[in-house]
Amino acid sequence: MTTASFDPAEPWWRGFETPLTAFAIAELLSEAGVPAGVANVVTTTDPGAVVYSLLEHRAVRKLSFTGSTSVGRHLLCRAAGRVQNVSMELGANAPFVVCDDTDLDAAVAGALVAKFRNSGQACTAVNRFFVHSGVVDEFTRRFSKAVDTLHLGPATDPASQIGPLISAAAVRRIQAALDEALASGARIVNAPVTVPDRGTSSRRSSSATFLKTVS
């Protein structure tokens, strides 16, 4: 029988902010009928030692890792010793490409999902757009208009399309990236709003910002 072990993110007091996701996945698998022992959650305060021990065990046939490039490099080196099968989803700067013959309505719809799913807090979220010069103005107009219609609100509200970022540190990182882009010549093309530091907002407008850098 093929089994799997999950190593969840580290707890919030060590700076990691999604420690319960792996437990939720395991619970859902159990509810779906997956036999006990097939999907296992391994918790530890010393992930390096645990993962390296697993990689050296002959029963482990596959490693899948989502995370930083630096950690992925270390894991690849370890896995190479036993020539293990590995899948790596590492840090990158995911692009969204819009060609000159594209269906702009479809491109805008796809871009909204690719960028703003889970308020942009996904490892596969788009970080930059490459748009053909022949359609850049129209795509920018349509996309910025669509962004402005996104509903900002609490994550507990089913109508919310943009919810809170996970932490104050995440807000600071995004603001720093925005400030750097503007300092480098980018310009804001939509109408971002200021959201409260505490509490929630139910305004029918978005806190998302769309920048245009090169025409």
Side-chain angles (χ1 to χ4, degrees), residues 60-141:
V60 176
R61 307 290 296 274
K62 169 77 175 184
L63 168 68
S64 176
F65 172 73
T66 299
S68 69
T69 302
S70 59
V71 173
R73 186 178 294 113
H74 287 299
L75 293 176
L76 283 170
C77 290
R78 287 279 184 162
R82 294 185 54 247
V83 196
Q84 286 176 318
N85 188 359
V86 298
S87 295
M88 296 279 165
E89 183 183 334
L90 307 179
N93 203 6
F96 189 96
V97 180
V98 181
C99 299
D100 61 340
D101 60 349
T102 191
D103 178 336
L104 287 180
D105 289 334
V108 168
L112 286 174
V113 174
K115 180 61 222 176
F116 295 111
R117 175 177 46 217
N118 195 35
S119 298
Q121 299 171 111
C123 58
T124 55
V126 169
N127 290 325
R128 52 185 174 160
F129 292 82
F130 292 113
V131 185
H132 191 279
S133 59
V135 295
V136 64
D137 290 336
E138 184 60 17
F139 174 82
T140 299
R141 185 188 69 79

